[in-house]
Amino acid sequence: MKLTGSQIVAEVLLDHGVDTIFGYPGGTALNIYDELYKYSDRIKHVLTAHEQGACHAADGYARATGKVGVVMSTSGPGATNLVTGIATACLDSVPLLAITSNVPDSLIGKDAFQEIDIAGVTMPITKHNFFVNRIEDLADTLREAFVIARSGRPGPVLVDITKDVTAATYEYENKRPLPLRPDPEIRKDDIRAAVKMINAAEKPVMYVGGGVMQSCASELVQELARKANIPVVNTLMATGVMDTEEDLCLGMVGMHGSVAANRAIQHADLIIALGARFSDRVAQDTKTWGRSARILQVDIDNSEINKNVMIDKAVIANVHEFLEKAIPFVEKADHSEWRERTVSWKKKAPYVKATDCPLHPKDIMTTISEFVNDDAYFVTDVGQHQMWAAQYLHHRKPHRFITSGGLGTMGFGYGAAIGTQMAHPDHQVVHITGDASFQMNLNEVVTAETQHLPIITVILNNSVLGMVYQWQTIFYDRRYSNTTPHRKVDYVKVAEGFSIKGFRATTPEEFQDAFYQALQEDGPVWIECVISQDERVLPMIPGGKSVDDMIVG
């Protein structure tokens, strides 16, 4: 049957199980949007306030479901507004499909109105991208884009389509989605060598990253940890890999990681790195990091081997498949002395309250953890609040902590919370942000209100650019260059202007009351929490330093 290019786009999306997309229309995308109007009973399009918000929403949707998140935009500024969102997905290995519309092929290269080479712009921040100026290539290109986005190490793919292609017609043939590309086959010798290292270790520690989440291997990590009594430390992206109250879970490792996690890395004799890339936020001083340990690295991406830290043994594999094959051969172990030592570090870790402000970040996170159920999703922006959320929330399950790790994108949170809530309409979604991050994309409240999404936004307001302010306090002799903006924003009144409910809390009791009321609402809610500008994220390892230089108070 003959279909237009716009119909082909819609049909391929349906063939791949896509029922929700995010975007913003424009001139070159009109043909596609006209077709989406006709497909609205099968594909829900969520109009956001800004294309960046749409991209973050598609990203959040993907992280919360494991599916490919889809975002659409027009050409020119619409397409370039996706760049930060695409880069965010790229650095965190999120499967994302960005479909952009460009000017007609006859105008390409002629500086036409709103023409941009978005494929060239995004080449460094996509797993792959395509420029489609022939309708006969359109369907197969979109099918291939889905395969690339999900195969191996996931990532974003961009497909740029010229406007004339969206109007042209072509004989369309329904096809099943293409199979994902097979993961690298694990060599038996690699399994044997890895198991031998694990069985021989006396002080092993598992260092797990986003690859564990991407391969849905959290349960297997827990199985190995309990079988061989191996403590687990996680990167920010693997938050929730184990219940944080379990003794074997030592928490986040790295610059703002827990004392127990960082000490375990330094005293271990074997580090089992699973889907983790030894980023500079974790292995800051690569010469001293894990100095007493041999390192076994399991990763699906060969380019990550020996990239940041030199290792002793590499296994190129999907983490889930590796653990499935290795666990039966790992011996049950006691490691009682090592376990008691790591547990003591966890229990004796100092809790430092830097100020006498009535409302402290830990109070806020404790209340949130107590009031929500086990299936709640936590979505954050980037900054001090992000670290406090990682440190103090009770993380019970994997895939419930959604945050921008690699790129560290301020303004990520509201869009991502929208995508998460759209993916799981019956689950609680708590968006945790800081006043500076929130002001970047708070316009997405119009999307949340229009869609009647019961997202609770908790704004930790210290009236400064908190994380940079903290660095200026410690390392720049309190020279607060452009980190004290003196903005006078009444978030309760702003919320009312957007037709939503707003609260303000200055004490733990006020926050408990506000959060309880927020849970009763059926639409978006903001809660402003007034905290001290001098509150710090601790522990902290200064940039480029080692665990020996960790600041704990």
Side-chain angles (χ1 to χ4, degrees):
M1 57 180 171
K2 284 206 168 187
L3 299 180
T4 66
S6 298
Q7 289 174 311
I8 288 172
V9 170
E11 289 294 331
V12 173
L13 292 179
L14 287 173
D15 288 344
H16 287 78
V18 176
D19 57 13
T20 304
I21 60 178
F22 305 86
Y24 205 100
T28 61
L30 281 175
N31 293 328
I32 292 179
Y33 271 84
D34 185 56
E35 207 57 50
L36 287 175
Y37 181 87
K38 303 169 191 174
Y39 279 77
S40 59
D41 59 330
R42 288 170 285 172
I43 300 175
K44 181 178 180 62
H45 178 280
V46 179
L47 174 67
T48 57
H50 191 283
E51 289 91 354
Q52 185 182 138
C55 202
H56 292 326
D59 181 322
Y61 186 93
R63 296 187 200 224
T65 61
K67 300 177 182 178
V68 176
V70 180
V71 62
M72 286 189 176
S73 83
T74 190
S75 62
T80 56
N81 280 343
L82 300 179
V83 169
T84 298
I86 293 171
T88 301
C90 181
L91 268 289
D92 288 343
S93 303
V94 177
L96 184 78
L97 173 59
I99 299 174
T100 56
S101 302
N102 215 322
V103 299
D105 190 52
S106 61
L107 296 179
I108 292 292
K110 297 183 179 179
D111 294 333
F113 177 67
Q114 292 192 336
E115 179 196 355
I116 193 74
D117 178 13
I118 193 62
V121 169
T122 60
M123 189 174 294
I125 55 170
T126 52
K127 192 174 177 185
H128 197 80
N129 57 30
F130 299 90
F131 173 66
V132 181
N133 60 350
R134 294 171 6 119
I135 190 168
E136 52 264 46
D137 298 331
L138 179 59
D140 286 342
T141 297
L142 288 168
R143 294 180 182 119
E144 182 69 8
F146 275 98
V147 172
I148 294 171
R150 288 188 58 209
S151 294
R153 181 178 184 172
V157 178
L158 179 136
V159 178
D160 189 36
I161 309 167
T162 58
K163 186 174 183 178
D164 50 311
V165 167
T166 66
T169 59
Y170 188 71
E171 193 67 30
Y172 178 75
E173 180 184 353
N174 276 101
K175 294 181 181 179
R176 293 189 177 196
L178 298 170
L180 299 184
R181 293 173 182 169
D183 292 328
E185 187 174 345
I186 308 177
R187 296 170 47 207
K188 290 183 179 179
D189 287 349
D190 285 341
I191 294 288
R192 292 192 192 99
V195 169
K196 185 177 180 181
M197 293 176 73
I198 296 171
N199 289 338
E202 295 181 0
K203 296 185 292 182
V205 62
M206 270 192 279
Y207 155 53
V208 302
V212 168
M213 297 297 187
Q214 294 289 0
S215 63
C216 297
S218 297
E219 289 186 3
L220 291 172
V221 167
Q222 295 169 29
E223 182 181 345
L224 176 57
R226 292 164 188 152
K227 181 177 183 180
N229 261 308
I230 302 175
V232 176
V233 306
N234 59 267
T235 66
L236 182 69
M237 300 308 301
T239 300
V241 67
M242 292 185 79
D243 189 310
T244 49
E245 294 191 356
E246 188 166 340
D247 282 348
L248 284 171
C249 180
L250 302 183
M252 188 168 65
V253 67
M255 178 177 284
H256 293 296
S258 71
V259 171
N262 284 321
R263 284 183 178 169
I265 288 291
Q266 291 307 88
H267 290 84
D269 63 3
L270 176 67
I271 296 172
I272 307 163
L274 303 174
R277 59 189 179 89
F278 304 92
S279 80
D280 62 301
R281 289 298 199 193
V282 171
Q284 293 172 272
D285 182 353
T286 56
K287 294 179 181 178
T288 63
W289 193 85
R291 57 195 171 203
S292 303
R294 300 181 72 200
I295 299 178
L296 164 65
Q297 184 177 5
V298 182
D299 203 290
I300 201 165
D301 187 351
N302 188 52
S303 70
E304 291 296 343
I305 307 302
N306 292 322
K307 185 173 81 174
N308 296 324
V309 171
M310 299 303 294
I311 61 146
D312 297 279
K313 174 63 184 175
V315 180
I316 308 303
N318 177 293
V319 173
H320 190 284
E321 186 181 358
F322 166 79
L323 289 173
E324 273 189 327
K325 292 185 176 181
I327 288 174
F329 301 101
V330 173
E331 299 169 357
K332 289 186 177 180
D334 187 20
H335 298 139
S336 56
E337 184 179 340
W338 173 235
R339 176 170 177 166
E340 288 173 9
R341 192 176 180 191
T342 57
V343 169
S344 71
W345 289 332
K346 181 176 180 178
K347 291 182 176 179
K348 293 178 181 178
Y351 167 59
V352 179
K353 192 172 182 179
T355 71
D356 57 4
C357 179
L359 187 57
H360 185 266
K362 188 175 182 181
D363 302 326
I364 296 168
M365 304 307 161
T366 299
T367 294
I368 293 172
S369 298
E370 290 175 350
F371 278 54
V372 300
N373 58 45
D374 289 356
D375 289 321
Y377 285 83
F378 305 121
V379 186
T380 83
D381 275 290
V382 171
Q384 287 181 310
H385 67 273
Q386 177 190 31
M387 296 296 103
W388 288 321
Q391 292 174 334
Y392 297 140
L393 286 171
H394 181 183
H395 302 283
R396 301 172 175 92
K397 292 185 178 182
H399 307 286
R400 298 298 195 278
F401 187 72
I402 295 174
T403 193
S404 169
L407 194 64
T409 306
M410 294 175 69
F412 167 80
Y414 218 151
I418 288 167
T420 300
Q421 189 76 80
M422 294 295 299
H424 299 289
D426 297 327
H427 287 64
Q428 296 167 329
V429 175
V430 182
H431 168 217
I432 300 168
T433 185
D435 54 304
S437 277
F438 191 50
Q439 287 164 5
M440 288 195 169
N441 277 334
L442 64 79
N443 53 343
E444 290 305 334
V445 67
V446 300
T447 310
E449 196 280 328
T450 301
Q451 298 295 328
H452 307 294
L453 304 178
I455 298 167
I456 300 174
T457 295
V458 179
I459 309 161
L460 278 68
N461 185 6
N462 57 9
S463 301
V464 295
L465 310 188
M467 191 63 86
V468 184
Y469 183 91
Q470 175 172 324
W471 278 65
Q472 289 175 337
T473 300
I474 300 172
F475 304 114
Y476 291 86
D477 199 25
R478 299 179 183 270
R479 292 186 295 277
Y480 299 122
S481 176
N482 291 285
T483 52
T484 54
H486 303 292
R487 294 168 180 164
K488 296 179 180 179
V489 180
D490 186 327
Y491 289 100
V492 175
K493 289 184 178 179
V494 174
E496 291 172 356
F498 282 118
S499 301
I500 69 166
K501 185 79 85 174
F503 298 93
R504 188 170 189 264
T506 59
T507 67
E509 293 75 21
E510 288 179 355
F511 179 69
Q512 290 169 10
D513 182 60
F515 197 80
Y516 175 79
Q517 292 185 60
L519 287 170
Q520 316 310 313
E521 296 291 326
D522 59 3
V525 179
W526 294 357
I527 306 174
E528 177 192 9
C529 300
V530 180
I531 64 172
S532 171
Q533 64 186 21
D534 294 316
E535 200 56 69
R536 298 182 185 176
V537 178
L538 297 171
M540 176 182 182
I541 302 174
K545 300 294 184 178
S546 73
V547 174
D548 298 329
D549 303 300
M550 183 165 46
I551 301 169
V552 296

